[in-house]
Amino acid sequence: MNRWRPFHRIRESFVAKISLTLISVVLVLAFLFDLMLIRLQQKAYEDENIKHGLSLVRLLAQSVRIAVFSENKQDFIMPVNSILGHDDVVEADIFNNEGAMLFSRKKQENSLAQILDNPEHLASIFKNIKEAGEMHWQTPNSFIFWWPVYFNTSPSSDESLYFEMDDEPPARELIGYAALVISKQSFSEGVRNILINTGFIVVCFLSVGIFMSFVVVRRMTRPLSNILQKVKENTGSAGVRDDLSLLSETYGGMIQELEQSFETIKELKDGLEVKVSERTRELSDRQTQLEKANLKLSETLAKLQEAQQQLVQSEKMAAMGQMVAGVAHEINNSVNFISGALPSVKRLLGDLKELLASYEELEQMPNGDDRGRDIAAIQALKNEIEFAEIFTTFEQLLANIDEGTTRTTRIIKDLKIFTRQGAEKFKQADIHSIIDSSIPFIDSKLLKGVEIRKEYGDIEPVTCLAGRISQVFLNIMQNAVQAMNGKGTLNIRTWQENGQVHISFIDTGCGIEKDLINRVFDPFFTTKEVGKGSGLGLGISYDIIKQHSGRINVTSKVGQGSVFEVILPLSPPIFPMTRES
Amino acid sequence: MKKTLFLIILILLAGGRIALAYDIVVVKSGNEMPMELVVQAFSDKLVHLLPARGVKSIEPHRFREIDLSRTPLKSVVEQQIREYRPDLILALGRNALLAVRDIGEIPVIYLLVVAPEIITQDRENITGVKLEIPGKLQFDELSRLLPQVRRIGVIYNSEHSAMEIQEARRDRPDLQFVSLSAQSARGVPSLLEELHGKVDLIWLLPDLIVTNPQTLESYFLFSFKNKVPVLAFSEKYLKSGAAIVVTFDLEAMGEQAAAMAARILLGTPVSGVPPTEISRVKTIVNQTVSRKLQLTVTEERPQ
Ligand SMILES: Nc1ncnc2c1ncn2[C@@H]1O[C@H](COP(=O)(O)OP(=O)(O)OP(=O)(O)O)[C@@H](O)[C@H]1O
Ligand SMILES: [Mg+2]
């Protein structure tokens, strides 16, 4: 930025204008202030000198009073000389009360000559002193001071010779006058010094002040200068005019615009009132509509609740169907072990029967050459039926049958737990065995590529309705397996904490979207195709866990998986012994 | 039984009063003078001389005061005294003596009065202790304290104080008195100049013409300039610059008056108890001044 503009711009720059005005005001003020200061100081200095002179003449009057009393010339010398010892004191004169000069001593020519030669003037001076107690005046080169000389008067009684008399004030009598002439030489020097000093100080302050005010004005007007710059840019370089008129024009424009704006605001305000009342009416109409809608809604809600009740019932039926399907499949599997083994057993038994018949033939034949031939035939049969491996195969088949029966027995046992739910009672149950017994009911088609990992912790038995809890676990696991769509890991973790058992099902499935996570427990909420899911599974589970005074927490990340954590108290606080109905 | 005892005490009290206690009126000129001290010394001494035997504590001598600064009218004072019917009047100061001098038959003893004879004028019921300090007593003290002093300068007025100079010359022929007579106070400063170098001591006289506030300064100025001590007659001058003061002893004066009062109260007629001069003086040395004047004071009497 060009700090110091060319000189010819000064007249136009408002900064310069303000600075110049300020500086000239400061100059005038400083000049007046200087004059006043000098005047005051001079006055104070003069007063000081007069005071000093008066105290000197008073001292003189005091010290010569014995001499005046006795009118002894000799006695004057010492006190008068001591006063004349002061540098500026040039003359001392002593008179008695009749006006006769008793003593006079001077260093210069007689400044009082005129007065002393004029007895009338002198008498008037004495009269003045008597009245005012002192007198002083100035001539061009000297101060003149007068002071009366007093002396104590005689006491009135003989007793005062011996005692202090308190009540009689010390009476005094005017016995003469003392005059002192003090030259103005050092006084004028002092005044000159005052002039020089004051002038110097004022000049110093003035230069600092002018500099400071210039700097301050520049600082303060910088924002204004910026505005001005902008205005000039906007109005084009027609800125040959000076800054101040440009500024006032700009401000004028701004004020006009402001007034217009206020006008507009006022109009808008008036229109607004009308609009507000319209809106209020509309709103009240809306409200009545809303109330009507609300009534309808609550009716619908009642209907819906009814429907839900029915659906819950049908869900139960559906679950039952699913379960039956599961059970059938399982039993089928187990039976397959047995039925698969049966044809082989039959064939082996046939082979063995044939072999045994050949032996019987041989027993009944007499010994002959035929016997040797028959033994060879038996040997050939043995090779044919792989006699050596026949028993091994047999044992294998029996093991298969055994497996089939064990599985069937187990399924039936599990089914017992599951079916007993309606008439169940709260009992202490091992959560781990509940989980284990629920897993077989998961849809086995979906389970194929899924690994189930169990990380069972050390937990105490929980007082619960085991069948219902199993239903919850099955539901959660079923959802998890469904979410993984045939590939992934289901982690089941249990632990105990603060008298509560935590059961956590961690899957690596598709996960739940953030805005849906709060809705998964809502009845009928499902993301599955029509016919596949009813959306009631988690809703029912939620009710069951609540019945046990527990909680279910869900956390999930889309694409990574979900965690369903069931938390159950070791025993529900309000312990319902039976929940038949 | 009780009644008899009470009666006996009553009779004793009544009898004691008639026989032993006196009524005394003290008239004071004002408060500025050291009156209390004198009255105290007077009453103490009187009780000692005339003890109120046996019932002293019940009915001592009765002192009543009249203060002239509060009761300034002579007639009122006389009226009051007649009401009190005192056995004796003690007048302190000149104005007090003036107020009671016409009281008539009641005996009056004055104290602290300068030149009382001018006031009493042969009245037979008035006597007292004169305030003047005998020159002889002053010079005795002086010789004791400053034995080297021989030449004594004194300024007097031939009309008022010539007598004192004569008596002093007569009493102390061993001392040399340089006396100058002044007609007025104005003459004192120049007369003092004349004494310069001729004297060892200035003797201040109780004479208003030569000793007054106008001249005092000259005396002490002279004293300091020429290192000559001033012998004064009142404590008042100590602070102005007197080196030695030989003055009356207020206590002694009070006791002196009490002795006179006792004699009068016991029946001696007033004319038989003539006015006396003071018998004892008090000497005070201004230590500061005497140090400045380089005096060697041999001994100071213990106060
Ligand atoms: N482990 C999970 N991973 C991903 N989504 C899940 C998981 N568990 C539940 N969900 C979501 O929550 C919804 C509700 O589940 P819920 O069990 O209540 O009903 P459903 O499984 O859809 O039907 P139903 O269980 O009645 O056959 C599911 O549709 C699914 O979108
Ligand atoms: Mg489900």
Side-chain angles (χ1 to χ4, degrees):
Chain A
M1 196 184 128
N2 186 3
R3 226 163 203 287
W4 308 101
R5 291 170 187 195
F7 188 70
H8 69 269
R9 291 279 295 118
I10 281 180
R11 246 193 279 168
E12 285 141 32
S13 156
F14 76 95
V15 175
K17 256 185 195 173
I18 293 174
S19 304
L20 276 177
T21 319
L22 212 63
I23 288 166
S24 41
V25 168
V26 166
L27 270 171
V28 170
L29 282 179
F31 181 70
L32 291 177
F33 175 69
D34 193 12
L35 277 186
M36 205 174 71
L37 203 68
I38 288 171
R39 196 63 219 117
L40 281 176
Q41 284 205 2
Q42 226 172 348
K43 188 84 187 62
Y45 186 61
E46 199 182 296
D47 288 352
E48 198 54 44
N49 266 275
I50 288 170
K51 237 198 250 169
H52 176 67
L54 282 174
S55 64
L56 273 183
V57 74
R58 189 174 160 191
L59 196 72
L60 178 69
Q62 187 84 12
S63 56
V64 296
R65 63 198 206 289
I66 293 172
V68 173
F69 176 66
S70 62
E71 301 201 356
N72 184 352
K73 280 226 162 29
Q74 216 55 26
D75 289 350
F76 282 110
I77 296 168
M78 218 167 61
V80 169
N81 276 355
S82 80
I83 292 288
L84 280 170
H86 284 83
D87 277 347
D88 293 323
V89 179
V90 289
E91 181 176 344
D93 301 284
I94 318 286
F95 302 83
N96 69 8
N97 57 352
E98 277 131 26
M101 183 186 265
L102 296 177
F103 193 79
S104 175
R105 180 155 288 194
K106 42 192 158 275
K107 289 185 195 163
Q108 295 172 0
E109 91 283 10
N110 196 344
S111 358
L112 288 177
Q114 281 176 306
I115 300 160
L116 301 182
D117 292 345
N118 184 346
E120 270 167 46
H121 190 181
L122 206 58
S124 80
I125 289 172
F126 291 154
K127 203 168 148 251
N128 271 339
I129 298 171
K130 232 185 264 178
E131 278 160 13
E134 56 105 342
M135 207 173 159
H136 65 269
W137 68 83
Q138 301 179 34
T139 67
N141 10 337
S142 49
F143 293 103
I144 291 146
F145 301 98
W146 289 84
W147 200 274
V149 180
Y150 285 107
F151 209 55
N152 293 337
T153 49
S154 307
S156 50
S157 68
D158 285 334
E159 274 155 332
S160 67
L161 270 175
Y162 293 90
F163 304 110
E164 307 279 1
M165 307 299 275
D166 292 345
D167 48 356
E168 273 179 47
R172 48 182 209 168
E173 190 188 341
L174 186 74
I175 55 168
Y177 305 93
L180 212 58
V181 180
I182 294 181
S183 112
K184 269 190 170 177
Q185 197 177 328
S186 63
F187 172 76
S188 335
E189 246 167 58
V191 170
R192 207 161 41 241
N193 281 344
I194 287 173
L195 274 170
I196 292 168
N197 287 347
T198 315
F200 180 72
I201 289 168
V202 166
V203 165
C204 281
F205 274 107
L206 209 60
S207 30
V208 172
I210 286 172
F211 178 74
M212 292 293 282
S213 51
F214 189 71
V215 169
V216 168
V217 165
R218 274 200 74 82
R219 276 276 157 78
M220 289 201 325
T221 54
R222 190 158 300 159
L224 216 56
S225 304
N226 291 346
I227 291 174
L228 212 64
Q229 197 67 33
K230 288 270 156 62
V231 169
K232 274 183 191 161
E233 277 165 19
N234 287 345
T235 56
S237 58
V240 197
R241 290 167 302 167
D242 70 311
D243 290 348
L244 279 179
S245 64
L246 194 60
L247 262 180
S248 68
E249 257 171 46
T250 313
Y251 278 126
M254 277 159 96
I255 287 165
Q256 212 170 330
E257 275 167 27
L258 265 178
E259 275 170 358
Q260 273 173 9
S261 305
F262 279 125
E263 202 64 35
T264 319
I265 288 171
K266 196 167 170 278
E267 276 165 24
L268 282 176
K269 202 186 89 186
D270 292 346
L272 206 62
E273 276 163 13
V274 178
K275 273 183 192 160
V276 165
S277 65
E278 267 170 29
R279 282 286 152 82
T280 318
R281 206 168 45 245
E282 276 171 26
L283 274 175
S284 65
D285 289 352
R286 287 277 164 81
Q287 205 187 337
T288 46
Q289 283 172 12
L290 273 175
E291 273 163 10
K292 275 181 205 162
N294 199 23
L295 204 64
K296 269 184 195 163
L297 271 175
S298 50
E299 277 167 20
T300 318
L301 188 64
K303 278 180 195 164
L304 268 174
Q305 273 168 349
E306 216 170 287
Q308 190 198 356
Q309 217 61 43
Q310 286 169 5
L311 270 167
V312 168
Q313 199 57 39
S314 63
E315 154 72 7
K316 275 182 187 166
M317 299 309 284
M320 187 72 92
Q322 207 172 33
M323 189 184 71
V324 168
V327 169
H329 173 80
E330 274 302 301
I331 290 176
N332 195 38
N333 274 356
S334 334
V335 168
N336 272 350
F337 277 92
I338 303 164
S339 59
L342 280 178
S344 307
V345 171
K346 266 181 195 162
R347 187 178 45 83
L348 283 177
L349 268 178
D351 287 349
L352 275 179
K353 241 183 224 172
E354 202 179 328
L355 189 63
L356 278 176
S358 303
Y359 272 105
E360 223 165 288
E361 246 174 75
L362 191 63
E363 257 175 66
Q364 283 160 11
M365 248 199 280
N367 285 353
D369 289 342
D370 285 348
R371 206 171 164 132
R373 190 188 37 94
D374 284 345
I375 289 171
I378 291 171
Q379 211 63 46
L381 191 64
K382 267 189 182 173
N383 284 343
E384 198 187 328
I385 59 170
E386 292 165 5
F387 185 77
E389 282 151 34
I390 202 162
F391 288 101
T392 331
T393 319
F394 222 40
E395 272 164 19
Q396 236 170 21
L397 288 172
L398 281 177
N400 276 5
I401 290 166
D402 191 40
E403 169 71 21
T405 19
T406 327
R407 280 199 188 193
T408 314
T409 321
R410 206 185 65 215
I411 289 164
I412 288 163
K413 204 176 86 192
D414 289 347
L415 205 59
K416 269 191 201 157
I417 303 175
F418 206 77
T419 49
R420 218 186 291 142
Q421 52 180 285
E424 225 184 347
K425 291 180 181 172
F426 274 87
K427 263 191 222 157
Q428 285 208 333
D430 177 25
I431 289 293
H432 292 157
S433 54
I434 294 178
I435 299 170
D436 289 344
S437 66
S438 306
I439 290 171
F441 295 103
I442 301 169
D443 196 346
S444 51
K445 270 180 272 167
L446 293 167
L447 261 179
K448 258 174 212 155
V450 174
E451 188 194 344
I452 297 184
R453 256 189 236 158
K454 297 175 189 168
E455 293 172 33
Y456 288 169
D458 215 7
I459 57 171
E460 287 171 50
V462 174
T463 306
C464 62
L465 301 167
R468 309 225 78 189
I469 292 295
S470 143
Q471 200 179 332
V472 171
F473 292 163
L474 180 60
N475 229 318
I476 291 170
M477 290 191 287
Q478 185 89 26
N479 283 345
V481 172
Q482 278 170 344
M484 287 188 283
N485 202 17
K487 206 178 156 205
T489 316
L490 172 63
N491 232 316
I492 306 170
R493 209 174 283 164
T494 60
W495 70 94
Q496 189 172 325
E497 208 176 281
N498 305 329
Q500 290 179 318
V501 171
H502 295 243
I503 307 106
S504 186
F505 300 90
I506 305 147
D507 66 59
T508 56
C510 59
I512 309 164
E513 276 185 45
K514 227 182 184 174
D515 3 341
L516 301 182
I517 215 158
N518 288 325
R519 297 176 54 197
V520 293
F521 293 106
D522 289 354
F524 311 114
F525 174 78
T526 179
T527 57
K528 285 157 199 171
E529 311 162 25
V530 185
K532 260 201 172 172
S534 68
L536 279 169
L538 283 179
I540 290 168
S541 303
Y542 186 81
D543 284 345
I544 294 169
I545 297 301
K546 253 182 127 184
Q547 191 185 350
H548 286 79
S549 304
R551 314 197 291 279
I552 309 182
N553 293 335
V554 191
T555 52
S556 182
K557 254 189 190 159
V558 176
Q560 289 187 12
S562 319
V563 179
F564 278 75
E565 186 181 354
V566 177
I567 301 159
L568 288 171
L570 284 173
S571 54
I574 304 159
F575 188 64
M577 284 311 286
T578 26
R579 295 201 90 297
E580 241 92 347
S581 54
Chain B
M1 182 65 194
K2 268 185 188 169
K3 265 186 185 171
T4 356
L5 194 72
F6 183 69
L7 214 69
I8 290 167
I9 290 173
L10 211 71
I11 289 164
L12 268 176
L13 282 179
R17 183 178 181 181
I18 294 159
L20 298 166
Y22 296 102
D23 269 337
I24 293 157
V25 167
V26 180
V27 184
K28 300 201 296 191
S29 293
N31 285 320
E32 71 274 0
M33 292 202 278
M35 306 277 181
E36 298 301 329
L37 203 66
V38 188
V39 174
Q40 194 60 47
F42 176 85
S43 60
D44 285 354
K45 188 71 181 176
L46 194 67
V47 169
H48 187 71
L49 292 172
L50 298 175
R53 263 158 286 161
V55 282
K56 174 181 156 192
S57 56
I58 296 169
E59 187 62 30
H61 304 302
R62 193 201 302 210
F63 286 86
R64 277 186 284 212
E65 282 191 0
I66 297 173
D67 189 341
L68 286 184
S69 62
R70 259 175 273 154
T71 322
L73 280 176
K74 191 180 173 192
S75 54
V76 178
V77 175
E78 284 177 342
Q79 168 98 30
Q80 248 174 25
I81 291 173
R82 288 208 180 93
E83 265 171 39
Y84 290 158
R85 307 171 136 277
D87 299 306
L88 185 94
I89 297 167
L90 184 67
L92 298 174
R94 177 189 161 84
N95 289 345
L97 183 55
L98 278 169
V100 300
R101 70 168 173 183
D102 299 323
I103 204 75
E105 57 286 349
I106 305 168
V108 174
I109 293 180
Y110 58 79
L111 271 172
L112 306 173
V113 184
V114 183
E117 53 281 352
I118 302 165
I119 301 167
T120 58
Q121 291 170 348
D122 311 327
R123 279 180 180 74
E124 295 227 311
N125 65 322
I126 302 178
T127 183
V129 183
K130 290 186 204 167
L131 193 59
E132 283 99 87
I133 298 132
K136 188 180 175 318
L137 291 181
Q138 281 193 308
F139 292 114
D140 288 350
E141 283 297 297
L142 180 68
S143 302
R144 192 171 63 77
L145 295 171
L146 297 171
Q148 70 275 19
V149 167
R150 292 265 150 257
R151 300 175 299 169
I152 297 187
V154 59
I155 292 178
Y156 70 105
N157 178 265
S158 45
E159 279 173 42
H160 291 82
S161 43
M163 272 287 286
E164 275 88 343
I165 310 289
Q166 264 180 38
E167 279 173 16
R169 284 215 168 92
R170 193 192 59 220
D171 290 339
R172 294 299 301 265
D174 54 326
L175 299 176
Q176 183 195 339
F177 288 91
V178 184
S179 59
L180 297 173
S181 170
Q183 292 314 303
S184 71
R186 182 159 291 198
V188 172
S190 44
L191 286 178
L192 275 171
E193 289 303 318
E194 279 180 41
L195 289 178
H196 172 63
K198 295 177 190 157
V199 295
D200 304 327
L201 179 123
I202 296 286
W203 180 30
L204 219 54
L205 285 180
D207 176 345
L208 270 178
I209 289 184
V210 292
T211 304
N212 57 42
Q214 297 158 328
T215 59
L216 271 181
E217 247 178 282
S218 314
Y219 283 114
F220 296 119
L221 216 61
F222 178 83
S223 160
F224 289 130
K225 257 201 282 195
N226 304 309
K227 301 232 183 316
V228 171
V230 172
L231 169 65
F233 52 89
S234 164
E235 276 180 58
K236 181 184 166 179
Y237 303 105
L238 275 178
K239 67 164 186 262
S240 326
I244 298 168
V245 166
V246 177
T247 183
F248 41 79
D249 186 336
L250 289 169
E251 241 169 84
M253 262 163 47
E255 286 172 9
Q256 232 172 311
M260 293 163 85
R263 285 175 65 198
I264 292 164
L265 289 172
L266 286 174
T268 318
V270 180
S271 51
V273 186
T276 53
E277 288 196 328
I278 59 170
S279 55
R280 209 167 87 200
V281 287
K282 188 165 80 170
T283 305
I284 305 163
V285 177
N286 187 335
Q287 297 295 350
T288 320
V289 174
S290 56
R291 194 162 2 101
K292 287 201 176 131
L293 301 184
Q294 291 153 6
L295 291 183
T296 38
V297 181
T298 46
E299 172 243 8
E300 193 184 347
R301 179 190 294 188
Q303 292 284 314

